[in-house]
Amino acid sequence: MGTRGWQEIPWAVVVVLPLLAAPARAGAAEISAGASIGWIEIGDDYRPSVGPQAAISWPFERDFVFTVHDLCTIHLGPQHGGLGVYNQTSLEVGVAWDEGNFSLGPSVGLYDMPSCGAALCGRVAGVAIGGHAQVNSYFAGPLGWSTSAHVQWLGGESPVLPGQAAFVVVAGPVLRWILK
């Protein structure tokens, strides 16, 4: 019989703490997942992006929700070194209604992608903080449309990065499940 490692406890806290911190109302939690397509801009470097997204929301007051959202985007384009990955996770508050919701809040992003500066091209990787906003509109029962935008501030000086900020805007279909 083994014991659980100490490293597993922080992940349990990340999952359980929002459940305990968000007082529930008579409503139910909502899970949504979808796929998006859009673009990323880092300085003057633009790239098309595709990827999955997922969120879970808990109501805490009449029409207000607390949301944990994750968006992973894969940046396309064979130029300048191939594919890149940008994963952004946010903790948000927002408003909800029967046919949709809107939320915004702080986020953290992990990235690994090719980029080109004024004189040098290469891969950049790191962690960035920023903000995220998302609106979901449901038009056919659980089926809807999601539009998501976020900005991340990239720290440090790099001859490869053409700017200090990353902007990602994506949109696509979304499905929701209501847990009662």
Side-chain angles (χ1 to χ4, degrees):
M1 177 178 231
T3 60
R4 297 201 182 268
W6 178 253
Q7 290 84 5
E8 294 179 30
I9 292 173
W11 287 109
V13 169
V14 169
V15 172
V16 173
L17 189 58
L19 291 171
L20 298 174
R25 64 176 168 140
E30 177 181 297
I31 296 175
S32 63
S36 298
I37 186 166
W39 57 263
I40 183 171
E41 173 189 351
I42 297 180
D44 56 2
D45 192 11
Y46 297 89
R47 287 178 174 251
S49 301
V50 297
Q53 62 173 307
I56 184 164
S57 300
W58 296 274
F60 66 87
E61 191 64 43
R62 182 164 162 75
D63 295 324
F64 295 95
V65 293
F66 172 76
T67 302
V68 177
H69 184 264
D70 190 77
L71 173 67
C72 180
T73 54
I74 298 165
H75 307 293
L76 308 173
Q79 76 277 12
H80 310 304
L83 298 175
V85 176
Y86 197 96
N87 192 77
Q88 175 265 333
T89 302
S90 60
L91 300 174
E92 306 170 9
V93 292
V95 294
W97 56 95
D98 289 341
E99 295 84 27
N101 56 57
F102 170 77
S103 61
L104 60 98
S107 64
V108 63
L110 303 171
Y111 58 94
D112 181 6
M113 67 185 74
S115 184
C116 282
L120 185 63
C121 290
R123 291 197 73 80
V124 293
V127 177
I129 59 169
H132 178 262
Q134 180 164 334
V135 62
N136 294 334
S137 178
Y138 299 99
F139 51 82
L143 180 61
W145 189 261
S146 179
T147 303
S148 178
H150 61 270
V151 60
Q152 304 291 147
W153 289 271
L154 309 173
E157 295 292 325
S158 170
V160 174
L161 282 175
Q164 295 297 317
F167 302 94
V168 179
V169 176
V170 292
V174 66
L175 286 172
R176 73 174 169 179
W177 298 269
I178 297 175
L179 307 173
K180 294 187 180 198

